[in-house]
Amino acid sequence: MSISAINVRNQFRGTIKEIIEGPVVSEVDVQTAAGLVVTSVITTRSVKELNLTVGKEVVALVKSTEVSLATL
């Protein structure tokens, strides 16, 4: 399956900056060329199966039905 075949409009190319591995889930920080950091919480099993490592180039695919905002 190609990335263009996935029904996700928000795609951010970047490099893995940090991985915080837990026993079940892990946090993966992806830094874009613009300096934006997108954090994904995925299973630790997926981290291993995708062979994710710091410095690896990836695409963060964001699909959300809700985004909440608060005033400062």
Side-chain angles (χ1 to χ4, degrees):
M1 176 183 341
S2 69
I3 292 174
S4 61
I6 297 173
N7 184 22
V8 177
R9 295 190 183 272
N10 299 309
Q11 300 179 10
F12 302 95
R13 241 178 230 280
T15 304
I16 296 178
K17 179 179 178 181
E18 182 178 15
I19 299 173
I20 302 172
E21 266 193 40
V24 178
V25 295
S26 296
E27 293 180 34
V28 181
D29 289 344
V30 177
Q31 185 167 16
T32 68
L36 172 72
V37 176
V38 177
T39 302
S40 176
V41 177
I42 63 174
T43 64
T44 300
R45 180 179 179 177
S46 292
V47 170
K48 294 179 187 322
E49 287 179 357
L50 292 169
N51 194 28
L52 299 180
T53 57
V54 172
K56 186 170 189 167
E57 290 188 41
V58 294
V59 177
L61 306 168
V62 181
K63 186 169 186 176
S64 176
T65 57
E66 179 180 337
V67 176
S68 299
L69 300 175
T71 57
L72 299 175

